[in-house]
Amino acid sequence: TPPGEPIHGMWLRLTIDEVLAPFPEGHREIVKARIAGHEVAEIAKRTGRAKRSVERILQEFRAALDGVLRDGH
């Protein structure tokens, strides 16, 4: 964690890393790019994937993250 990062930021970063771990590397790159603020169309162009494919991957990540957050672990 970067120095001075609030504890909740560290917790969120660890949770995201945990959720991303089982995803294929290409999917992790897409999610990280979106978290970094890149637009879906830009990510699609950069990765050579259809915009809909990028959206599907992001939705899968959101569902996995939601499951972890709801379960509390």
Side-chain angles (χ1 to χ4, degrees), residues 39-56:
E39 296 296 326
V40 171
E42 177 188 351
I43 296 168
K45 184 176 181 180
R46 193 174 71 200
T47 60
R49 292 180 178 263
K51 186 177 171 187
R52 183 66 195 119
S53 293
V54 171
E55 291 168 342
R56 180 186 47 77

Side-chain angles (χ1 to χ4, degrees), residues 5-31:
E5 181 178 18
I7 191 73
H8 59 274
M10 181 179 67
W11 177 85
L12 181 58
R13 185 180 309 273
L14 290 172
T15 302
I16 288 170
D17 288 346
E18 177 185 324
V19 172
L20 281 175
F23 280 70
E25 179 60 31
H27 292 201
R28 290 194 302 265
E29 289 175 15
I30 287 169
V31 172

